[in-house]
Amino acid sequence: MAQPDQRMRRVRRNNWIVFAIFAAFVVAVFSYSFVHIGREARPDPAVSAPARP
């Protein structure tokens, strides 16, 4: 059976791995959100231009 200090090291390492995955997810969501907002703020003129009669 693992010693208490070895178990604590494993738990801390696993916590850092989970934290890194969570932080990467948060950064990805924020990045996608800002990119999407930027595209909405500057629509493509060819698409949003009214059709000529």
Side-chain angles (χ1 to χ4, degrees):
M1 187 169 195
Q3 298 295 328
D5 57 336
Q6 290 175 342
R7 183 179 181 280
M8 287 301 295
R9 279 194 296 249
R10 188 173 64 241
V11 167
R12 285 186 183 139
R13 185 180 66 235
N14 288 345
N15 285 347
W16 274 108
I17 291 169
V18 170
F19 173 74
I21 292 169
F22 177 69
F25 174 77
V26 168
V27 168
V29 169
F30 268 64
S31 299
Y32 179 76
S33 176
F34 286 124
V35 168
H36 179 74
I37 289 170
R39 280 192 310 235
E40 291 291 324
R42 295 181 305 277
D44 188 10
V47 174
S48 62
R52 290 186 173 176

